[in-house]
Amino acid sequence: MKAKNEKTAAAAPPALPVREALPDAGLTEEEVRVRVEQNLVNTPVKSPTKTERQIILSHVLTFFNFIFIVLAVCLIVVGSYKNMTFLGIAIINTLIGIFQELRSKRTIDKMTLMAVRRYNVIREGQRVTLPAEELVRDDIVEFTAGDQVCADAVVVAGEAQLNEALVTGEADLIGKQVGEALLSGSFLVSGHCRARLTKVGAASYVSRLTLEAKKNVRVAKSEMMQSLTRLIRVIGFALIPMGVGLWLKQGMTAAAVPPTVAALIGMIPEGLYLLTSVALAVSVVRLSRRRVLTQDMNCIETLARVDVLCVDKTGTITEDKMVAGDPLLLAEKDFSSERVAEVLGAYYAVTDADNDTERAMMDRFRAGTAWDCRMRVPFTSATKWSAAVFEGQGAFLVGAPEFILGPRYALVKEKAEAMSAAGFRVLLLAQYDGLPDPAGLESTRVYPMALIPLTNRIRPDAPDTFRYFAEQGVSIRVISGDNPRTVAEIARQAGIRDAGKWVDAARLKTDEDYAEAVEKYVVFGRVTPDQKRKLIAALKAAGHTVAMTGDGVNDVLALKDADCGIAMASGSDAARRVAQLVLLDSNFKSMPHVVLEGRRVINNIQRAAALFLVKNLYSFLLSLCTLLFDVPYPLIPIQLSMISGLTIGLPAFFLALEPNRERVEGKFMINVLRQALPGGLTNFVIVMLLEAFAAIFAFPNDVLCTVAAALFSAIGLLVLFEVSRPLNWKRGLVLGMMALMIVVCFAGLGVVFDFVPLGAGPILVLCVLLSLAFYLFGSVLNLFTYLDKLIRIYKQKKADGTLWNPFREDDEL
């Protein structure tokens, strides 16, 4: 036992050294080796998505593919090869599904939150350069301006200014000194420091975000696709017993196989999935022409149904670039506009633009005479100001008014807060008597010169875009990491309705707070990444369909949780990879076109789906009657394929590509069934009458099939006419072409489709039933129209409170 314990102990890696590496010494090679053995390496996280083999198998080995294969084998066994045309659509459906999910997987697998680069590392007292993935925990790493922090760390020497906007959403620079933590994914804007890595690889903050964003990656199903999936699931449960029953009923002979297969194929909307995929693919191409990258085709429909749109301030409402406005003079007698412009020009001639604010000030004021700069005091988050001392001119300060003036802030408070309320960030230019000390300014030595407003300009197209969404019943929520009062004013200027309803997200603590806030407020300020996700969850829990725009790492999880995530191309790689839509021009004005494209797809596919369900309805009812009564199934597979192709498949594709800007209303499946029921019921009643005539006049089976095919074709054209209304020249042309092709199939290709010449009796029966079909179809349509009217009246009275209730005391009998 002792030997076994010793052997186990020898196999285990040694414990980590207790000693912390010194900033100038770093880790030893032995300490690095131990950490590598214990897998404490900054290895990029791997994607937990399915493998390509798993994706292919998941689409090939489906229930319906199995059914199709079984049916094809049955036809092969009896030698009925020409009736196997249904396999083509099944194969194309499978290939489209595989392509779509593989594309999604590869997009997500490429998602990287960290830029791949090399870093200076201190090991055994020497500076070495290593790639990020070879660093280990406790390594001492040097970071300089422009570097991205590659793992969670703590500063052990030096100090720096960091931009954590992509990670936290906060636009302000954050000063970091010895002992303070650095978040992976943030950038050094200025300064230089050495930091000890505390969490590497999958344990780091940015890697946890990556894993959360990548897991459970799948092609999301929209309401339309979910409805189709539920329909197919119901059909699937009915297929097996129905098929077995039909074959047994028809004598279990080889001759019984083709009509049994035809009945089962008729119950499967095999072309509808293909139609939907192709229509969505065409929309992807159309959107790409408007510089919109669609990474998940299903999101086109989702966005058309969105009723809440969550947006950020910068990049969506405003332009990315900050702009400095005209200075507001505070002591015009002492400091004229010319003097203020001269000072600012000299000041920014010797300033390095380390952030958006300084770049905006340089763009506005840099032109001017260069002065001899004796001293520069850089901006820090602790002091909130910077300074420059010029030979013969004096010292000047630029920064936050309240920090520069201290107790004398009241001198400019009213004017500064008026600017802030107008949506501006405010800087103070002041002269200082003496040398500015970062440890503290003497407020009595400060002489205010001017207030400078800065802002991100409202995008020119933003008001029109938000007005469009308001007209379409889509409410806006502004979610930002900035000051809520400032964000609310900018939202008001952009024309967002109820922009004055704002809240500081720091006040939101419980789930109940979030649930109440999302219905009460429009603007949310000081929002953390985790809070963005909670706000999205609260909106979805309230029954809303939510879209969200974002551009930073801090938006990744919320983009993933939203029903439709929309990223700006100018943002982080992580946001672009996880979003369903990417605006390549980073311009929000493309959104209305996306919504209209979604409407076109949904409305047109609803029309096309009605055509498909007509076939499924009458096939199911006829199969049921064949089981219950002694009647043959009136079609064979190749005839059903011809009818489906010319009255459903081809016209459905043309209809799906038509322009259509109608608002999407109601549930997809209810709308489709409402359009499909008149045709399905008419087909069923008319063909059952045909079965009766065939029994009375002893029609041969091939005559029965020919007359039934003619009836199905005529009623199919009738349904196509109704679905195509209002009829325009394009739809009229499609209807005429389909009718002509049906005539050609009967008159010239009868041998191919097993049609036979009809005698006087079958022709007379056909004419009588066609006349009855037109009358019955019109009557059912009128009945449905009347029922629709009653339902609308009922809903309106219920909404108005005017619906009579016999149990209500205030109603008069």
Side-chain angles (χ1 to χ4, degrees), residues 533-589:
R533 198 177 191 185
K534 289 180 179 178
L535 289 170
I536 296 296
L539 285 165
K540 292 176 69 174
H544 297 289
T545 303
V546 185
M548 177 184 170
T549 65
D551 59 0
V553 174
N554 60 302
D555 298 320
V556 166
L557 299 183
L559 285 171
K560 182 192 171 196
D561 287 352
D563 294 296
C564 183
I566 306 154
M568 302 294 175
S570 59
S572 72
D573 183 62
R576 293 196 301 272
R577 297 299 184 186
V578 80
Q580 287 90 15
L581 288 174
V582 180
L583 306 183
L584 298 179
D585 289 334
S586 300
N587 199 329
F588 196 59
K589 71 178 181 180

Coordinates of all heavy atoms in Angstrom, one line a residue, residues 533-589:
R533 N -27.7 41.7 -20.5 CA -28.3 40.4 -20.7 C -29.6 40.3 -19.9 O -30.6 39.7 -20.4 CB -27.3 39.4 -20.2 CG -27.6 38.0 -20.8 CD -26.5 37.0 -20.3 NE -26.6 35.8 -21.0 CZ -25.8 34.7 -20.8 NH1 -24.9 34.8 -19.9 NH2 -26.0 33.6 -21.5
K534 N -29.6 40.8 -18.7 CA -30.8 40.7 -17.8 C -31.9 41.5 -18.4 O -33.1 41.1 -18.3 CB -30.5 41.2 -16.4 CG -29.6 40.2 -15.6 CD -29.3 40.7 -14.2 CE -28.4 39.7 -13.5 NZ -28.1 40.2 -12.1
L535 N -31.6 42.7 -19.0 CA -32.7 43.5 -19.6 C -33.3 42.8 -20.8 O -34.5 42.8 -21.0 CB -32.1 44.8 -20.1 CG -31.7 45.8 -18.9 CD1 -31.0 47.0 -19.5 CD2 -33.0 46.3 -18.2
I536 N -32.4 42.1 -21.6 CA -33.0 41.3 -22.8 C -33.9 40.2 -22.3 O -34.9 40.0 -22.8 CB -31.8 40.8 -23.6 CG1 -30.9 41.9 -24.2 CG2 -32.3 39.8 -24.7 CD1 -31.7 42.7 -25.2
A537 N -33.4 39.5 -21.2 CA -34.2 38.4 -20.7 C -35.5 38.9 -20.1 O -36.6 38.2 -20.3 CB -33.4 37.7 -19.6
A538 N -35.5 40.0 -19.5 CA -36.8 40.6 -18.9 C -37.8 41.0 -20.0 O -39.0 40.7 -19.9 CB -36.5 41.8 -18.1
L539 N -37.3 41.5 -21.1 CA -38.1 41.9 -22.3 C -38.7 40.6 -22.9 O -39.9 40.6 -23.2 CB -37.3 42.7 -23.3 CG -37.0 44.1 -22.9 CD1 -35.9 44.7 -23.8 CD2 -38.3 45.0 -23.0
K540 N -37.9 39.6 -23.1 CA -38.4 38.3 -23.6 C -39.4 37.7 -22.7 O -40.4 37.1 -23.2 CB -37.2 37.4 -24.0 CG -36.3 37.9 -25.1 CD -35.1 37.0 -25.3 CE -35.5 35.7 -25.9 NZ -34.3 34.9 -26.2
A541 N -39.1 37.7 -21.4 CA -40.1 37.1 -20.4 C -41.4 37.8 -20.5 O -42.5 37.2 -20.2 CB -39.5 37.2 -19.0
A542 N -41.4 39.1 -20.8 CA -42.7 39.9 -20.9 C -43.4 39.6 -22.2 O -44.5 40.2 -22.5 CB -42.4 41.4 -20.8
G543 N -42.9 38.7 -23.1 CA -43.6 38.3 -24.3 C -43.2 39.1 -25.5 O -43.8 39.0 -26.6
H544 N -42.1 39.9 -25.4 CA -41.6 40.7 -26.6 C -40.7 39.9 -27.5 O -40.0 39.0 -27.0 CB -40.9 42.0 -26.1 CG -41.8 42.9 -25.3 ND1 -42.8 43.6 -25.9 CD2 -41.9 43.2 -24.0 CE1 -43.4 44.4 -25.0 NE2 -42.9 44.1 -23.8
T545 N -40.7 40.2 -28.7 CA -39.7 39.7 -29.7 C -38.6 40.8 -29.8 O -38.9 41.9 -30.2 CB -40.3 39.4 -31.0 OG1 -41.3 38.4 -30.9 CG2 -39.2 38.8 -32.0
V546 N -37.4 40.5 -29.3 CA -36.4 41.5 -29.1 C -35.2 41.4 -30.1 O -34.6 40.3 -30.3 CB -35.8 41.4 -27.7 CG1 -34.8 42.5 -27.4 CG2 -36.9 41.4 -26.6
A547 N -34.9 42.5 -30.7 CA -33.6 42.7 -31.5 C -32.7 43.6 -30.7 O -33.2 44.5 -30.0 CB -34.0 43.2 -32.9
M548 N -31.4 43.4 -30.9 CA -30.5 44.3 -30.2 C -29.3 44.6 -31.1 O -28.8 43.7 -31.9 CB -29.9 43.6 -29.0 CG -28.9 44.4 -28.3 SD -28.2 43.6 -26.8 CE -26.8 44.7 -26.5
T549 N -28.8 45.8 -31.1 CA -27.6 46.2 -31.8 C -26.5 46.4 -30.8 O -26.7 46.7 -29.7 CB -27.8 47.6 -32.5 OG1 -28.0 48.6 -31.6 CG2 -29.0 47.5 -33.5
G550 N -25.3 46.1 -31.3 CA -24.1 46.2 -30.4 C -22.8 46.1 -31.2 O -22.8 45.7 -32.4
D551 N -21.7 46.6 -30.6 CA -20.5 46.6 -31.3 C -19.3 46.1 -30.4 O -18.2 46.0 -30.9 CB -20.2 47.9 -31.9 CG -20.1 49.0 -30.8 OD1 -20.3 48.7 -29.6 OD2 -19.9 50.2 -31.2
G552 N -19.5 45.9 -29.1 CA -18.4 45.6 -28.3 C -18.4 44.2 -27.7 O -19.5 43.5 -27.7
V553 N -17.3 43.8 -27.0 CA -17.3 42.5 -26.3 C -18.3 42.5 -25.2 O -18.9 41.5 -24.9 CB -15.9 42.3 -25.7 CG1 -15.9 41.0 -24.8 CG2 -14.9 42.1 -26.8
N554 N -18.6 43.7 -24.6 CA -19.6 43.8 -23.6 C -21.0 43.5 -24.1 O -21.9 43.2 -23.3 CB -19.5 45.2 -22.9 CG -19.8 46.3 -24.0 OD1 -19.1 46.4 -25.0 ND2 -20.8 47.1 -23.8
D555 N -21.2 43.5 -25.4 CA -22.5 43.2 -26.0 C -22.7 41.8 -26.4 O -23.8 41.4 -26.7 CB -22.7 44.1 -27.2 CG -22.7 45.6 -26.9 OD1 -23.3 46.0 -25.9 OD2 -22.1 46.4 -27.7
V556 N -21.7 41.0 -26.3 CA -21.7 39.6 -26.9 C -22.8 38.8 -26.3 O -23.6 38.2 -27.1 CB -20.3 38.9 -26.8 CG1 -20.4 37.4 -27.0 CG2 -19.3 39.6 -27.7
L557 N -22.9 38.7 -25.0 CA -23.9 37.8 -24.4 C -25.3 38.3 -24.7 O -26.2 37.5 -24.9 CB -23.6 37.6 -22.9 CG -22.2 37.0 -22.6 CD1 -22.1 36.9 -21.0 CD2 -22.0 35.7 -23.2
A558 N -25.5 39.6 -24.6 CA -26.8 40.1 -24.9 C -27.2 39.9 -26.3 O -28.4 39.6 -26.6 CB -26.9 41.6 -24.5
L559 N -26.3 40.1 -27.3 CA -26.5 39.8 -28.7 C -26.9 38.4 -28.9 O -27.8 38.1 -29.7 CB -25.3 40.2 -29.5 CG -25.0 41.6 -29.8 CD1 -23.6 41.8 -30.4 CD2 -26.0 42.3 -30.6
K560 N -26.3 37.5 -28.2 CA -26.6 36.1 -28.3 C -28.0 35.7 -27.8 O -28.7 34.9 -28.4 CB -25.5 35.3 -27.6 CG -25.7 33.8 -27.7 CD -24.8 33.0 -26.8 CE -25.2 31.5 -26.8 NZ -24.7 30.8 -25.6
D561 N -28.4 36.4 -26.7 CA -29.6 36.1 -26.0 C -30.8 36.7 -26.7 O -31.9 36.2 -26.6 CB -29.6 36.5 -24.6 CG -28.7 35.6 -23.7 OD1 -28.3 34.6 -24.2 OD2 -28.5 36.0 -22.5
A562 N -30.6 37.8 -27.5 CA -31.7 38.5 -28.2 C -32.2 37.6 -29.3 O -31.6 36.7 -29.8 CB -31.2 39.8 -28.8
D563 N -33.5 37.8 -29.6 CA -34.1 37.0 -30.7 C -33.4 37.3 -32.0 O -33.3 36.4 -32.9 CB -35.6 37.4 -30.9 CG -36.4 36.9 -29.7 OD1 -36.5 35.7 -29.4 OD2 -36.9 37.8 -29.0
C564 N -32.8 38.5 -32.2 CA -32.1 38.8 -33.4 C -30.9 39.8 -33.0 O -31.2 40.9 -32.5 CB -32.9 39.5 -34.4 SG -32.0 39.8 -36.0
G565 N -29.7 39.4 -33.1 CA -28.5 40.2 -32.7 C -28.0 40.9 -34.0 O -27.8 40.3 -35.0
I566 N -27.8 42.2 -33.9 CA -27.3 43.0 -35.0 C -26.0 43.7 -34.6 O -26.0 44.5 -33.6 CB -28.4 44.1 -35.4 CG1 -29.7 43.4 -35.7 CG2 -27.9 44.8 -36.6 CD1 -30.9 44.2 -35.5
A567 N -24.9 43.5 -35.3 CA -23.6 44.0 -35.0 C -23.2 45.0 -36.0 O -23.6 44.9 -37.2 CB -22.6 43.0 -34.8
M568 N -22.4 46.0 -35.6 CA -21.8 47.0 -36.5 C -20.4 46.4 -36.9 O -19.7 45.9 -36.1 CB -21.6 48.3 -35.8 CG -22.9 48.9 -35.2 SD -24.0 49.4 -36.6 CE -25.5 49.9 -35.6
A569 N -20.1 46.6 -38.2 CA -18.9 46.1 -38.7 C -17.7 46.8 -38.1 O -16.6 46.2 -38.0 CB -18.8 46.2 -40.2
S570 N -17.9 48.0 -37.6 CA -16.8 48.8 -37.0 C -16.5 48.3 -35.6 O -15.5 48.8 -35.0 CB -17.1 50.3 -37.0 OG -18.3 50.5 -36.3
G571 N -17.3 47.5 -35.0 CA -17.1 47.0 -33.6 C -16.1 45.9 -33.5 O -15.3 45.6 -34.4
S572 N -16.3 45.2 -32.4 CA -15.3 44.1 -32.1 C -15.6 42.9 -32.9 O -16.8 42.6 -33.4 CB -15.4 43.7 -30.6 OG -16.6 43.0 -30.3
D573 N -14.6 42.1 -33.1 CA -14.7 40.8 -33.9 C -15.7 39.9 -33.2 O -16.5 39.2 -33.8 CB -13.4 40.1 -34.0 CG -13.4 38.9 -34.9 OD1 -13.8 39.0 -36.1 OD2 -13.1 37.8 -34.3
A574 N -15.7 39.9 -31.9 CA -16.6 39.0 -31.1 C -18.1 39.3 -31.4 O -18.9 38.4 -31.6 CB -16.3 39.1 -29.6
A575 N -18.4 40.6 -31.4 CA -19.8 41.0 -31.6 C -20.2 40.6 -33.0 O -21.3 40.2 -33.2 CB -19.9 42.5 -31.4
R576 N -19.3 40.8 -34.0 CA -19.7 40.5 -35.4 C -19.9 39.0 -35.5 O -20.8 38.6 -36.3 CB -18.5 40.9 -36.3 CG -18.4 42.4 -36.4 CD -17.5 42.8 -37.6 NE -16.2 42.2 -37.6 CZ -15.1 42.8 -37.0 NH1 -15.3 43.9 -36.4 NH2 -14.0 42.1 -37.0
R577 N -19.1 38.2 -34.9 CA -19.2 36.7 -35.1 C -20.5 36.2 -34.4 O -21.1 35.2 -34.9 CB -18.0 36.0 -34.4 CG -16.7 36.4 -35.1 CD -16.6 36.0 -36.6 NE -15.3 36.3 -37.1 CZ -15.0 36.2 -38.4 NH1 -16.0 35.8 -39.3 NH2 -13.8 36.5 -38.9
V578 N -20.9 36.7 -33.3 CA -22.1 36.1 -32.6 C -23.4 36.7 -33.1 O -24.4 36.0 -32.9 CB -21.9 36.4 -31.1 CG1 -22.4 37.8 -30.7 CG2 -22.7 35.3 -30.3
A579 N -23.4 37.8 -33.8 CA -24.6 38.4 -34.3 C -25.2 37.7 -35.5 O -24.4 37.0 -36.3 CB -24.4 39.9 -34.6
Q580 N -26.5 37.7 -35.7 CA -27.1 37.2 -36.9 C -27.0 38.1 -38.1 O -26.9 37.6 -39.2 CB -28.6 36.9 -36.6 CG -28.9 35.7 -35.7 CD -28.9 36.1 -34.3 OE1 -29.1 37.2 -33.9 NE2 -28.9 35.1 -33.4
L581 N -27.0 39.4 -37.8 CA -26.9 40.4 -38.9 C -25.7 41.3 -38.6 O -25.5 41.6 -37.4 CB -28.1 41.2 -39.0 CG -29.4 40.6 -39.6 CD1 -30.6 41.6 -39.5 CD2 -29.2 40.2 -41.1
V582 N -24.9 41.6 -39.6 CA -23.8 42.6 -39.5 C -24.0 43.7 -40.5 O -24.1 43.5 -41.7 CB -22.5 41.9 -39.7 CG1 -21.3 43.0 -39.5 CG2 -22.2 40.8 -38.8
L583 N -24.1 45.0 -40.0 CA -24.2 46.1 -40.9 C -22.9 46.5 -41.3 O -22.1 47.1 -40.6 CB -24.9 47.3 -40.1 CG -26.3 46.9 -39.5 CD1 -26.9 48.1 -38.8 CD2 -27.2 46.3 -40.5
L584 N -22.5 46.2 -42.6 CA -21.1 46.3 -43.0 C -20.7 47.8 -43.1 O -19.6 48.1 -43.0 CB -21.0 45.7 -44.4 CG -21.2 44.1 -44.4 CD1 -21.1 43.6 -45.8 CD2 -20.2 43.4 -43.5
D585 N -21.7 48.7 -43.3 CA -21.4 50.1 -43.4 C -21.5 50.7 -42.0 O -21.3 51.9 -41.8 CB -22.4 50.9 -44.3 CG -22.1 50.5 -45.8 OD1 -20.9 50.2 -46.1 OD2 -23.0 50.6 -46.6
S586 N -21.8 49.9 -41.0 CA -22.0 50.4 -39.6 C -23.0 51.5 -39.6 O -22.9 52.4 -38.8 CB -20.7 50.8 -39.0 OG -19.8 49.8 -38.9
N587 N -24.0 51.4 -40.4 CA -25.0 52.4 -40.6 C -26.4 51.9 -40.3 O -26.9 50.9 -41.0 CB -25.0 53.0 -42.0 CG -25.6 54.4 -42.1 OD1 -26.6 54.6 -41.3 ND2 -25.2 55.2 -43.0
F588 N -27.1 52.4 -39.3 CA -28.3 51.9 -38.8 C -29.5 52.1 -39.9 O -30.5 51.6 -39.7 CB -28.7 52.6 -37.5 CG -29.8 52.0 -36.7 CD1 -29.6 50.6 -36.3 CD2 -30.9 52.6 -36.4 CE1 -30.6 50.0 -35.6 CE2 -31.9 52.0 -35.7 CZ -31.8 50.7 -35.3
K589 N -29.2 53.0 -40.9 CA -30.3 53.3 -41.8 C -30.7 52.0 -42.7 O -31.7 52.1 -43.3 CB -29.9 54.4 -42.7 CG -28.8 54.1 -43.7 CD -28.5 55.2 -44.6 CE -27.4 54.9 -45.7 NZ -27.1 56.0 -46.6

